[in-house]
Amino acid sequence: MEVKKDSNSMRSHYCGHLTVKQCDLQVSLCGWVAKTRDHGGVIFIDLRDISGRAQIVCNPEDHEVFSLAEKVRNEYCLRVVGRVRNRPQGSENANLASGFVEVVCSKLEILNTSKTPPFPLDDSSINENTRLANRVIDLRTEQMQNNILLRHNFIKEVRAFLNGSDFIDIETPVLTKSTPEGARDFLVGSRINRGEFFALPQSPQLFKQLLMIAGFDRYYQITKCFRDEDLRADRQPEFTQIDCETTFLNELEIRAVFEEMIATVFLKVSNVQLERPFKVLTYKEAIENFGTDKPDLRINLSLCEISEIVKNIEFKIFADAARSGGKVSVLRVPGGGSIRIHKMDIQKAIFTAIGISDEEARDKFGFLLDALSYGAPPHGGIAFGLDRLVALLCNAPSIRDVI
């Protein structure tokens, strides 16, 4: 991060960027008070900004500066002008990038005062409801700022990879038509057409298929999606998706592209070397071994079928199920990417198979059926939950810790 260094600048440097290279240089810093300490008449202020902290020294010999420093409290917003010097031997803090220097204050401005925050910013035990109710203060904490910066870097590297792989970033509509999907829609009333509603997209799935039919070859979008479902650690109504689609690639080729993307981004952002090739599970393997199509392979538990063993036991719930042809199992990441339907007759047959009549298909998906009739190419793609990936790298318990 660079800042202007002319005489009219409010700030010449970021707090966390000060090093011994700036010794004897006069600097201007802006930020928030993380902590104040009075050591034998000398007041020390830890000034914090997005880059880190700087130690400010206010000496009693400078009466104007010192009298203002006595009024300063945590989270006051300040501007400090002073000269950088080495910290006295033995008082260095190797845990901070700026921990070998301090700024002797010659001018102190209180840009704004602050109420006492509802919780200490260095307390990691505050419950989520309190944090969310005071989100501005929560976002000032070191953990949240680190998380958001990591998210920024993650998105930057995803874009760099996809742009370098000839993907085209295309925005798709947010106000759209409601179509049957996996969750409930959020609806937005139309002022012009009374009694009619737009739906917020659960994903850009249909739009990206139309883009492939239109010939854009490789598409991506880092986009907001909306699903009306209950809050969980890994779910919330509004979330962000890395949405991708390609033409003329088979499933193995699609997986190879996005395995390379994930491996590259994890390495560049967090220096995490992922084991490759990624493990691939078929849907059948996932259901039989884990009972779900999205198992967490970090948990070393799988299912083992015991139908034959329990057929003749006295516990009727198990025995009856096994005797009637059911399956009894006890508890002892799938690959990704899929190929879409690109032929209209197959799409119509699928609609019929899942109970959608021709009339309903035409009403809800007519635009797709029409598009498929114009030489639609073989196409497929994938979508990643950005919030979940970043939470994984941050070791955060909830995706709301990275949003």
Side-chain angles (χ1 to χ4, degrees):
M1 289 178 282
E2 295 284 335
V3 292
K4 294 180 180 178
K5 296 182 174 64
D6 61 69
S7 58
N8 295 318
S9 294
M10 178 172 279
R11 173 169 60 184
S12 66
H13 293 76
Y14 282 93
C15 295
H17 292 174
L18 297 182
T19 68
V20 292
K21 293 180 180 179
Q22 282 83 40
C23 277
D24 296 324
L25 186 69
Q26 179 158 300
V27 298
S28 173
L29 308 175
C30 293
W32 291 265
V33 176
K35 187 185 298 184
T36 62
R37 307 181 302 282
D38 189 335
H39 287 183
V42 178
I43 295 176
F44 293 89
I45 298 172
D46 287 350
L47 194 67
R48 181 193 72 242
D49 65 17
I50 189 65
S51 68
R53 299 187 182 194
Q55 179 167 284
I56 313 300
V57 182
C58 301
N59 289 311
E61 292 81 10
D62 191 325
H63 299 295
E64 183 178 350
V65 165
F66 194 80
S67 63
L68 275 174
E70 288 182 308
K71 299 175 183 177
V72 166
R73 298 293 180 267
N74 286 1
E75 299 311 309
Y76 274 32
C77 187
L78 306 182
R79 177 174 182 258
V80 171
V81 177
R83 193 163 297 277
V84 181
R85 73 180 184 189
N86 287 313
R87 292 197 188 189
Q89 190 172 3
S91 66
E92 302 94 340
N93 185 349
N95 295 320
L96 295 178
S98 62
F100 292 91
V101 296
E102 59 190 13
V103 177
V104 180
C105 182
S106 59
K107 183 179 180 181
L108 178 62
E109 293 181 54
I110 298 177
L111 300 176
N112 212 339
T113 60
S114 171
K115 296 193 300 184
T116 300
F119 52 82
L121 270 65
D122 57 358
D123 187 347
S124 60
S125 66
I126 306 301
N127 71 61
E128 185 181 59
N129 287 342
T130 301
R131 291 173 50 215
L132 292 176
N134 301 277
R135 191 57 159 174
V136 170
I137 300 303
D138 182 44
L139 287 171
R140 287 188 187 178
T141 63
E142 183 178 4
Q143 184 63 64
M144 283 301 300
Q145 298 218 336
N146 287 341
N147 289 354
I148 298 300
L149 289 173
L150 188 145
R151 181 190 178 99
H152 160 72
N153 289 327
F154 194 97
I155 292 173
K156 181 174 69 173
E157 293 299 339
V158 166
R159 288 190 185 280
F161 179 91
L162 293 173
N163 291 340
S165 301
D166 298 323
F167 282 78
I168 305 168
D169 184 358
I170 305 176
E171 295 175 276
T172 55
V174 173
L175 293 176
T176 183
K177 181 178 182 178
S178 180
T179 57
E181 295 195 43
R184 292 178 294 272
D185 285 327
F186 281 109
L187 301 178
V188 179
S190 170
R191 177 183 61 83
I192 297 172
N193 301 296
R194 291 182 179 274
E196 300 291 328
F197 294 85
F198 296 103
L200 300 182
Q202 294 188 34
S203 77
Q205 178 63 50
L206 294 173
F207 290 120
K208 67 181 180 180
Q209 290 189 247
L210 296 178
L211 288 170
M212 295 302 98
I213 298 171
F216 281 98
D217 195 64
R218 292 187 173 195
Y219 141 94
Y220 86 93
Q221 184 182 186
I222 297 175
T223 182
K224 287 290 186 184
C225 300
F226 308 88
R227 295 177 186 174
D228 184 5
E229 53 189 6
D230 296 335
L231 286 176
R232 302 181 200 171
D234 63 347
R235 290 190 184 182
Q236 69 162 38
E238 177 184 339
F239 59 97
T240 305
Q241 194 165 278
I242 306 168
D243 197 54
C244 307
E245 196 80 1
T246 67
T247 55
F248 306 118
L249 291 181
N250 61 38
E251 187 174 339
L252 291 177
E253 291 171 314
I254 292 172
R255 283 211 302 260
V257 169
F258 293 105
E259 178 176 318
E260 182 68 28
M261 183 190 83
I262 292 296
T264 299
V265 173
F266 271 53
L267 184 62
K268 288 190 173 183
V269 172
S270 295
N271 199 31
V272 173
Q273 185 87 47
L274 296 176
E275 184 179 337
R276 300 178 66 187
F278 291 176
K279 182 168 182 161
V280 177
L281 297 175
T282 66
Y283 177 82
K284 184 173 183 290
E285 290 171 334
I287 294 298
E288 287 183 351
N289 292 320
F290 302 100
T292 175
D293 62 353
K294 49 183 183 300
D296 187 339
L297 299 183
R298 295 170 298 178
I299 302 171
N300 189 26
L301 294 172
S302 60
L303 295 173
C304 177
E305 186 176 356
I306 58 170
S307 302
E308 289 299 320
I309 299 173
V310 300
K311 274 185 176 179
N312 299 310
I313 66 173
E314 293 183 7
F315 191 52
K316 293 191 66 177
I317 293 176
F318 286 174
D320 290 349
R323 289 175 194 148
S324 62
K327 180 178 176 180
V328 179
S329 297
V330 293
L331 190 64
R332 275 196 333 184
V333 172
S338 62
I339 300 299
R340 319 298 180 196
I341 296 169
H342 69 282
K343 294 187 176 181
M344 185 170 63
D345 56 341
I346 298 177
Q347 185 63 74
K348 283 184 174 180
I350 293 296
F351 283 149
T352 300
I354 61 176
I356 295 178
S357 67
D358 288 347
E359 183 180 357
E360 186 181 3
R362 173 52 57 183
D363 178 56
K364 293 183 176 178
F365 297 100
F367 60 93
L368 176 63
L369 294 172
D370 289 341
L372 290 173
S373 68
Y374 289 102
H379 58 283
I382 195 169
F384 297 94
L386 173 68
D387 310 310
R388 294 178 180 179
L389 289 174
V390 176
L392 188 66
L393 282 179
C394 292
N395 197 28
S398 165
I399 61 172
R400 286 173 287 284
D401 288 329
V402 299
I403 296 174

